[in-house]
Amino acid sequence: MPRRSTSRRGAALFALLVALGACSHDESAPTRPPNVLWIVWDTVRADHLSLYGYTRPTTPFLSEWAKGARVFDDALSVAGYTLPSHASLFTGLLPSEHCVSNENHWLSDSFTTLAELLRDAGYRTFLFSANPHVAAAPGANLAQGFERAEHPWSPKWLAQAKQIVRGKLAPEDRSHDLARRRERPPGRTQGAWDIQAAGEIAQQATLAWLGSSDREQPFFVFLNYMEAHSPLMPPRRLREKLLSEADVERSYRVDRSTRTMWEYTFGLREYSDADLELTRATYDAAVLELDALLQNLLAGLGDAGFLENTVVILTADHGELLGEAHMLGHQYSLHQALLHVPLVIHAPNRLAPGRDARPVASFDLFPTLLELTGIAPPAGLHSHAVSLLTPSMERQRLAESPVISSVGIAQVKRRHPDFDATPFRRRISALVADSRKLLWGSDGRNAVYDLARDPLETRDLLASEPALAAGLEAKLEQFSRSLTRCDIATLDRAPKAIPRQQREMLEALGYLDDEDGEPTQP
């Protein structure tokens, strides 16, 4: 399996030179507030990007474009899956501070989002999300502050989205649920989860919205792309760039259906090493597709004159488990495969380009963008997020899954009624201090890793270095006491009753297709 080759020591030295010798805040920075284009590659782990030393050429365009940007080599997400991660990106708060989770999709109106702050300061605000959890899922409230939110399944884009996805499905593909149900019953609308990988529409929607709004106002555009999220369906032409002809054919036959992936994660079935490697390679081809979409997006916006005085951000909400810890997907874990995400900021005359190895977190973008746009944070906000214009050389970082989850369990129990899900039904936290990491579980199952010597987290030091473990546990306890924890009982919640017409639409889109009314994507 290709691995990362970047030297940590070299990166750290270069980061120090950047910090000491380059201006973080250029004195020649324009006085007009910048536009903001924020791109999230959903489910993309940093160590599978050639920008970060991965040996497969997954990001040729990004690697070249990022030479003019600040590239953060050690950026962590504060959550391992979509809902809490996006809520943290939008609020600058940790998951236990905003209460958004798999069990509570609703971001309370009591929290002020970045989009609300920018809108109130005179920004035009637009969101295009291919992830059904972001803004459009029933009971979600993540689109606060966006004047307009569109999706591949929006009426104006739905037909084109279906056509794009159908064009990616090779006749021989039997690797995922969508490929196996291409012939849908008459009258059955294709679900939102089925048409997420239609990234070309994000560019079209953005250009259409920008062209129809007031160009005298600065804009904030947030885009979520889902090409690297299951079901993986990168086009054959991109698989062929990374795989042999024989392996391309094999990649279409690996069973990555949702239930099978859950069964593997829950220890109820196995994949061969060859099948796991083909899954990684298919994932890599999906990342290569994202790279091409980014190139086209920036070219289109540049040709239309929308990149002038624009801060462009590329990051991910979380990564993806590709066999690590005997798991696939992005639930029930806070391993580095989920937490280590790309983070690139292109801000000419505002943030000097270069590699930066200082420890940062993706939700640091909240105070960073407020500083770049000259907007004050909400009154009384207590946040552990730090501006990326002046990050520290030393920092403790926390990631959380503070609510017991049940995603996928009911689906698996229907086939395996005796399955005991107890080991997965726990709260987990991850504290990273320097290169040492504590994985804490509410059931008492903890683990300690030295990421500098063991980046794949294969050697648990809990028993062999009890003093290290005790020190990290004390730091986690101290960090936890500093949090302003939300009280879910006191927050406004999603409407309990969904109007019949809206429910029918949501069912047709695939939102309410499980017994408990929730999607079951791994």
Side-chain angles (χ1 to χ4, degrees), residues 34-37 219 301 305-312 346-348 350:
N35 304 311
V36 177
L37 171 63
F219 65 76
L301 292 175
F306 290 120
L307 290 185
E308 296 176 10
N309 193 32
T310 298
V311 173
V312 182
H346 188 274
R350 289 184 169 90

Side-chain angles (χ1 to χ4, degrees), residues 201-511:
I201 295 176
Q203 176 180 339
Q204 296 175 38
T206 301
L207 283 169
W209 179 80
L210 286 171
S212 65
S213 57
D214 184 1
R215 296 188 70 142
E216 294 303 311
Q217 287 181 274
F219 65 76
F220 172 40
V221 170
F222 182 91
L223 306 178
N224 173 292
Y225 288 81
M226 287 279 279
E227 274 64 23
H229 192 289
S230 63
L232 296 172
M233 56 180 81
R236 173 181 284 272
R237 60 182 173 78
L238 297 180
R239 300 181 195 226
E240 291 173 345
K241 290 181 179 292
L242 303 178
L243 294 168
S244 68
E245 183 177 345
D247 280 343
V248 169
E249 297 301 328
R250 294 188 188 101
S251 72
Y252 288 117
R253 298 196 296 270
V254 178
D255 182 0
R256 292 190 301 276
S257 60
T258 301
R259 182 180 286 113
T260 300
M261 292 173 67
W262 280 127
E263 288 173 338
Y264 173 78
T265 293
F266 292 148
L268 299 172
R269 74 158 58 218
E270 295 297 325
Y271 281 97
S272 68
D273 290 343
D275 283 351
L276 286 173
E277 181 52 33
L278 286 169
T279 295
R280 296 181 190 112
T282 307
Y283 175 85
D284 292 343
V287 175
L288 183 58
E289 183 179 8
L290 286 169
D291 189 70
L293 288 168
L294 176 67
Q295 182 175 11
N296 291 337
L297 171 71
L298 295 181
L301 292 175
D303 289 346
F306 290 120
L307 290 185
E308 296 176 10
N309 193 32
T310 298
V311 173
V312 182
I313 295 162
L314 177 75
T315 189
D317 55 342
H318 55 76
E320 182 81 334
L321 292 157
L322 297 170
E324 295 85 1
H326 205 281
M327 289 182 166
L328 292 169
H330 43 267
Q331 302 287 340
Y332 303 109
S333 168
L334 289 175
H335 284 289
Q336 292 299 97
L338 292 186
L339 298 187
H340 185 203
V341 294
L343 179 52
V344 182
I345 302 178
H346 188 274
N349 300 319
R350 289 184 169 90
L351 188 62
R355 307 290 295 215
D356 196 326
R358 288 175 288 186
V360 301
S362 56
F363 80 150
D364 291 341
L365 287 165
F366 181 87
T368 303
L369 287 171
L370 291 180
E371 186 171 354
L372 284 171
T373 56
I375 299 172
L381 177 68
H382 174 71
S383 172
H384 287 275
V386 176
S387 172
L388 295 168
L389 301 183
T390 53
S392 172
M393 293 295 292
E394 296 183 359
R395 182 182 180 189
Q396 295 178 19
R397 291 168 292 172
L398 181 67
E400 299 181 293
S401 187
V403 176
I404 294 175
S405 183
S406 59
V407 178
I409 291 176
Q411 190 177 13
V412 169
K413 274 186 169 290
R414 288 196 286 273
R415 180 179 287 184
H416 304 272
D418 296 330
F419 166 56
D420 180 11
T422 302
F424 297 90
R425 294 187 56 78
R426 64 181 192 148
R427 295 174 288 111
I428 52 177
S429 297
L431 179 78
V432 178
D434 297 324
S435 64
R436 310 300 177 88
K437 178 177 180 178
L438 169 68
L439 275 177
W440 173 89
S442 60
D443 58 354
R445 289 186 294 125
N446 300 346
V448 173
Y449 301 102
D450 185 335
L451 298 177
R453 293 182 295 173
D454 179 27
L456 299 181
E457 299 168 291
T458 60
R459 297 187 297 277
D460 181 5
L461 305 177
L462 185 69
S464 61
E465 297 194 33
L468 171 62
L472 289 172
E473 289 171 3
K475 290 179 180 179
L476 175 60
E477 175 63 26
Q478 183 179 15
F479 200 133
S480 297
R481 287 198 301 268
S482 72
L483 300 180
T484 306
R485 295 186 180 274
C486 54
D487 182 357
I488 190 69
T490 65
L491 296 176
D492 55 287
R493 304 294 297 275
K496 291 184 178 181
I498 301 175
R500 181 182 59 81
Q501 186 176 11
Q502 184 183 6
R503 172 170 285 277
E504 290 174 355
M505 181 270 291
L506 293 169
E507 288 174 346
L509 285 173
Y511 283 122

